[in-house]
Amino acid sequence: MEEQKRTILSGIQPSNSLHLGNYLGAVRNWREMQQEYRCFYMMVDLHAITVTQDPETLRESSYLGIASYIAAGLDPENSVLFLQSHVSAHAELAWIFNCTSYMGELSRMTQFKDKSAKQGKNIPVGLFTYPNLMAADILLYQPHYVPVGNDQKQHVEHTRNLAERINNRYQKDIFKIPEPFIGKQGARVMDLQNPTSKMSKSVENPKGAVFLTDTDKQIMKKVKSAVTDSGSEVKTYDEASPGLRNLIDINSALSNRSHEEVANEFSGKMYGHLKVATAELVVETLAPIREKMNQLLNDKAYLNKILKTGAESAQIVAQKTLNQVYDATGFIPKVP
Ligand code: TRP
């Protein structure tokens, strides 16, 4: 039976704490998928160093990330939870892909263009080859689906291209060709201060994101001071400005109601009502997760044990794929 479950895989970077957008857009859905799929969920720490990281902060963020996965309901008994750097096959397959991908296609990646433009000069090569590492993350586990946000669709497309390129080159089905699995509408949470961009972990404007580590008071304050518009009364969802729509979206995701239902409830009321009700929903949802997360963080021995088990399970699957690639490439197998 177990064998028949289809496989999914995804990951989040351990920079800073996870935020409401990661929870509603990703982890909450991943939790639901655990019943139906065989799941690999990782913290992509190798990806995090495409920008310079303070070592101690990176270590803490990685623990924080794994603790938030578990606190949010990812079950280490059921899913493989692991750290990318614990499975060396990721870096090894990424090298193969560095030799398989073209400068041209990597230059066309929207995220690279955005991030390198922001960086200005001294752009790390890792930022450029990042999609190859992501392709390795994915293809090692032969997943059917990769749940990602819209912004990562292009990277999954690149992953599929590399998989097909290798399969064709060696005339062998080495890699399964994965499909992106784009989350339900409404799960995309925008920055509270700048509602036309996605909620992000960057610390530039911490008021724009609700972090899983925020206190109830901080959450209330952030949601209540969300940017809306110069109007005052809630109208329909379609007429709502991006900021208002974001609040309606968050409310609807947390209360499992449609946008219309939420907009109707607040129609004709002042924005403040929607803000307070939404802030309370966020607090209600995140408070138990935060408590559980803090408990877990006080037990590093337990977290280390989870990471060890996860890495061992991941390693078995990853190594099998890597061996096939090495063999097809013409590397002599190591004598056991
Ligand atoms: N690049 C993804 C992001 O920034 C994170 C990521 C890395 C990922 N490797 C992955 C997501 C593999 C899905 C599968 O969001």
Side-chain angles (χ1 to χ4, degrees):
M1 205 54 205
E2 200 57 20
E3 287 301 307
Q4 284 164 11
K5 276 192 177 176
R6 282 165 300 166
T7 300
I8 64 168
L9 168 139
S10 202
I12 296 180
Q13 290 196 28
S15 37
N16 219 326
S17 153
L18 300 199
H19 54 59
L20 185 65
N22 297 130
Y23 178 69
L24 288 178
V27 181
R28 193 174 77 151
N29 301 333
W30 299 358
R31 179 178 72 211
E32 302 310 314
M33 297 174 98
Q34 292 181 111
Q35 301 308 320
E36 199 180 333
Y37 299 94
R38 173 178 175 239
C39 304
F40 292 89
Y41 297 130
M42 60 189 159
M43 275 287 138
V44 290
D45 52 355
L46 296 174
H47 274 97
I49 64 163
T50 49
V51 295
T52 310
Q53 298 282 338
D54 167 62
E56 215 35 66
T57 312
L58 179 59
R59 236 182 313 271
E60 275 315 304
S61 308
S62 301
Y63 277 123
L64 199 57
I66 286 293
S68 32
Y69 276 2
I70 301 171
L74 303 188
D75 176 7
E77 300 288 322
N78 226 327
S79 299
V80 182
L81 308 183
F82 68 106
L83 263 187
Q84 186 186 28
S85 65
H86 285 181
V87 182
S88 57
H90 292 246
E92 296 175 73
L93 185 58
W95 172 252
I96 300 277
F97 290 154
N98 285 347
C99 301
T100 314
S101 55
Y102 310 130
M103 304 283 284
E105 59 192 349
L106 289 176
S107 313
R108 285 193 294 274
M109 296 289 143
T110 315
Q111 195 172 61
F112 171 70
K113 287 196 261 185
D114 289 352
K115 290 200 173 172
S116 55
K118 268 191 208 146
Q119 179 88 13
K121 53 180 173 38
N122 295 339
I123 298 155
V125 174
L127 205 55
F128 185 65
T129 57
Y130 171 118
N132 290 342
L133 179 58
M134 177 160 163
D137 297 341
I138 296 171
L139 295 174
L140 282 170
Y141 299 92
Q142 311 278 358
H144 297 75
Y145 303 109
V146 187
V148 284
N150 241 322
D151 61 322
Q152 295 298 314
K153 225 172 134 180
Q154 196 183 25
H155 293 159
V156 178
E157 198 49 49
H158 174 69
T159 301
R160 289 163 55 88
N161 291 340
L162 290 178
E164 278 168 1
R165 198 170 298 161
I166 295 266
N167 287 354
N168 286 335
R169 179 173 300 169
Y170 301 115
Q171 289 295 304
K172 255 193 191 154
D173 286 331
I174 297 174
F175 295 122
K176 182 182 277 308
I177 313 296
E179 303 277 343
F181 193 110
I182 307 291
K184 296 187 272 306
Q185 213 201 346
R188 185 174 156 91
V189 179
M190 310 303 279
D191 188 295
L192 295 171
Q193 290 299 312
N194 182 11
T196 49
S197 15
K198 196 169 132 168
M199 186 175 281
S200 92
K201 292 194 198 156
S202 89
V203 273
E204 282 156 38
N205 189 1
K207 285 194 202 133
V210 173
F211 292 102
L212 264 51
T213 44
D214 284 345
T215 61
D216 291 352
K217 217 170 134 191
Q218 285 170 313
I219 298 174
M220 289 304 290
K221 187 156 178 224
K222 284 181 183 179
V223 180
K224 287 203 289 191
S225 40
V227 165
T228 47
D229 55 69
S230 58
S232 57
E233 283 176 19
V234 180
K235 298 192 192 80
T236 67
Y237 184 73
D238 288 335
E239 287 169 321
S241 59
L244 210 52
R245 210 178 272 200
N246 191 32
L247 289 168
I248 297 175
D249 283 340
I250 295 172
N251 192 303
S252 101
L254 290 171
S255 62
N256 292 312
R257 292 179 298 168
S258 67
H259 308 138
E260 289 73 21
E261 267 177 272
V262 175
N264 280 343
E265 181 191 342
F266 293 97
S267 168
K269 294 189 183 148
M270 307 294 272
Y271 290 171
H273 288 94
L274 172 63
K275 286 185 174 176
V276 171
T278 305
E280 283 170 353
L281 275 174
V282 178
V283 166
E284 234 171 77
T285 309
L286 296 191
I289 297 179
R290 182 184 58 232
E291 263 168 47
K292 177 92 210 252
M293 199 164 74
N294 288 335
Q295 256 173 25
L296 289 163
L297 283 171
N298 281 324
D299 192 354
K300 293 268 165 71
Y302 172 76
L303 291 177
N304 282 331
K305 199 181 103 217
I306 298 295
L307 289 177
K308 178 169 190 273
T309 318
E312 283 166 1
S313 307
Q315 160 81 21
I316 293 170
V317 182
Q319 193 62 47
K320 195 169 153 209
T321 305
L322 185 69
N323 288 348
Q324 284 172 354
V325 181
Y326 272 15
D327 183 55
T329 307
F331 294 157
I332 297 176
K334 231 177 2 190
V335 177

